[in-house]
Amino acid sequence: MTGYALIIPELLLLAGALWALFAELLPGKDRGAAWIGAALSLAAGVLVALQGVGGQGPFGDLLAFDGSARAARIAVAFLTTAWLLWTAERGEGRIREAVSLAMFAALGAMLMSEARELMTLVMAVELATIPAYVLMGYRRANIRSLEGALKYFLLSMLTSLVMFYGFSFVYGLSGTTRYAGLDLSGAGSLGLLAVLLAAVGMFSKLSAAPFHFWAPDAYEGADAWAVAFVSTVPKVAGAVALVRLLAAIAPGIASVGTVVLVVSVVSMLLGNLGALTQGDVRRLMAYSGVAHTGYLLLGASTLAAAGFSSAVFYALAYAAPSLGVMLVAAEVGPGLADFDGLAKHRPATAWAVVVLLFSLIGIPPLVGFFGKLNLFTAALAGGSTASIVAVIIAVVMSVVSAGYYLRIVRAMFFGEPAEQPAAAASPIASLALTLCVLAVIAAGLGAGVVLGSLGTLAL
């Protein structure tokens, strides 16, 4: 498959976003837009799966259709489908605007994972993140929601400007914006500075420390269903974009790997220790997301093909369980106390959450276990003392993470249920949660196949 046929999935997402944007004038209105969006997202994911790997897309070689891009596009499409299914069934008012924003963000996320040219990456990043700012502040009458969204917007804009500044250095040193000619290994300290400035923006998009500072506030102020989308879909694409960028501009600059390793360790420490004391599931998952970014950066710090693949695989392994947990939080309530006694009146939901949390901890045979195993193996293959210490810290922090994830399990199975339990799960919302659970189990059992399908990044 070649040419415009390769971007039909992206065109389907664009059609869904435009339909939702004008849904007020079309049959079905709010919920109809969500149903149509879910159908188009599902069709986009199936098409990507059928396309295979490779092929010359439109616009020259600006977009890559390699294994990593394919995996990220499939994940983005199916995560968006699950989110839209849940939104169609459980959303409350004005959901067509949220559907439109989510589908524009998903379109940007797909393009982020494919971009192999700096300006293409810039436009894709902004398309993926600007709708996310609006989703985070969707409750316009809630001052905390607006405050969180504003903080998220300001930090993201600031780091984007730093990233663009770094891109200008990269262009000045290499004379091109295409990844194939961006190797800065001979550019000395100025090349190192350019790479670090460029990486700042991507670290921010992934909520890596120290750029995570306002993420918990933004997550706590937003609706849990909005957090479910914003904390997962852009992160999958961001991981692929980061490793593709590092593979292009920093393959021979060992000090870049050291910096990424330091960011990884700091993110794991701050994320896991920060999550231990949280009583709000949105803040807990925000800190948890910082920690998981630290894990995937452990693979990226190797600046080697195996490390890059393991980082992409881990981003995929993180997204489905995180989405599922946040959708349940959106149903029962965002406080840890809202989960009290969930197993007594909704046992299937409680056990589904257990599976998702166990995957995030890294318990076999779920996908989270194989994600961490591949990261640790890739990091240890370098053989450096710093990498070995980082892996030990990662293992210890994985044990620490069990402490705060199991607090949710304890609340569900040993907490006293509320006098008025949360509304019963609808069949479609249950289907969205079931898809997340099946993805976690299937990707775990087929981890070798998924990892092998990622191949080598195209530059």
Side-chain angles (χ1 to χ4, degrees):
M1 190 174 290
T2 59
Y4 284 95
L6 282 172
I7 61 167
I8 288 177
E10 283 79 0
L11 296 177
L12 290 176
L13 292 181
L14 177 61
L18 294 175
W19 180 285
L21 195 61
F22 297 106
E24 189 68 24
L25 307 174
L26 300 169
K29 297 188 177 180
D30 271 12
R31 295 190 186 281
W35 287 114
I36 290 170
L40 291 174
S41 296
L42 179 62
V46 172
L47 273 178
V48 174
L50 295 175
Q51 281 178 348
V53 176
Q56 179 64 49
F59 322 120
D61 58 353
L62 301 184
L63 301 175
F65 296 93
D66 56 7
S68 293
R70 178 172 180 257
R73 294 166 78 201
I74 292 173
V76 166
F78 286 120
L79 289 170
T80 304
T81 300
W83 187 85
L84 288 171
L85 286 173
W86 188 94
T87 303
E89 194 67 22
R90 307 288 297 201
E92 298 177 1
R94 291 177 53 239
I95 61 171
R96 67 179 180 84
E97 297 170 15
V99 170
S100 179
L101 291 167
M103 296 201 72
F104 276 124
L107 170 61
M110 277 195 176
L111 294 173
M112 271 178 70
S113 67
E114 301 162 2
R116 56 178 176 181
E117 192 269 341
L118 293 179
M119 293 302 101
T120 306
L121 177 62
V122 168
M123 290 186 287
V125 165
E126 296 310 312
L127 181 58
T129 54
I130 289 177
Y133 309 143
V134 185
L135 271 178
M136 296 297 277
Y138 205 66
R139 288 187 296 168
R140 290 178 292 190
N142 186 310
I143 190 66
R144 293 195 66 183
S145 176
L146 294 178
E147 178 190 349
L150 182 61
K151 288 178 175 177
Y152 188 48
F153 170 76
L154 291 176
L155 181 63
S156 188
M157 283 296 101
L158 177 63
T159 52
S160 288
L161 292 174
V162 174
M163 180 175 70
F164 300 158
Y165 191 52
F167 283 174
S168 70
F169 273 49
V170 172
Y171 175 71
L173 291 169
S174 64
T176 181
T177 58
R178 294 175 184 266
Y179 284 11
L182 288 187
D183 186 356
L184 300 182
S185 55
S189 56
L190 194 56
L192 174 61
L193 176 63
V195 174
L196 296 181
L197 291 175
V200 162
M202 299 310 299
F203 287 158
S204 172
K205 307 307 178 193
L206 292 169
S207 297
F211 308 104
H212 72 292
F213 193 67
W214 280 335
D217 289 349
Y219 283 27
E220 185 180 15
D223 287 329
W225 58 269
V227 175
F229 182 87
V230 174
S231 64
T232 54
V233 173
K235 183 164 282 192
V236 170
V240 179
L242 173 65
V243 298
R244 199 187 297 280
L245 185 64
L246 289 177
I249 63 179
I253 310 177
S255 49
V256 172
T258 304
V259 172
V260 176
L261 189 63
V262 170
V263 174
S264 166
V265 171
V266 175
S267 297
M268 287 188 287
L269 291 172
L270 291 181
N272 283 303
L273 297 179
L276 275 175
T277 58
Q278 302 305 319
D280 185 295
V281 175
R282 291 168 299 185
R283 289 186 70 87
L284 186 152
M285 294 302 289
Y287 278 108
S288 161
V290 175
H292 286 286
T293 295
Y295 295 131
L296 74 86
L297 289 179
L298 188 60
S301 69
T302 64
L303 301 182
F308 291 147
S309 295
S310 66
V312 173
F313 180 73
Y314 194 76
L316 301 174
Y318 162 78
S322 182
L323 179 76
V325 171
M326 288 310 303
L327 289 182
V328 174
E331 284 187 354
V332 303
L336 195 56
D338 294 320
F339 282 75
D340 283 346
L342 185 64
K344 294 180 180 176
H345 54 85
R346 289 176 58 179
T349 302
W351 281 108
V353 173
V354 169
V355 173
L356 300 174
L357 293 176
F358 278 13
S359 181
L360 289 171
I361 295 171
I363 294 176
L366 304 172
V367 66
F369 168 77
F370 293 102
K372 288 183 179 177
L373 181 64
N374 284 310
L375 285 173
F376 299 163
T377 303
L380 292 174
S384 69
T385 304
S387 296
I388 295 171
V389 171
V391 170
I392 293 172
I393 292 173
V395 172
V396 173
M397 287 298 105
S398 294
V399 176
V400 170
S401 73
Y404 55 82
Y405 286 133
L406 291 181
R407 288 176 63 203
I408 300 177
V409 177
R410 184 181 64 183
M412 292 190 299
F413 287 88
F414 300 106
E416 286 298 322
E419 293 182 0
Q420 292 183 336
S426 68
I428 299 300
S430 297
L431 174 62
L433 183 61
T434 302
L435 289 175
C436 294
V437 173
L438 290 177
V440 165
I441 297 173
L445 296 176
V449 176
V450 177
L451 192 62
S453 70
L454 298 180
T456 303
L457 291 167
L459 303 179

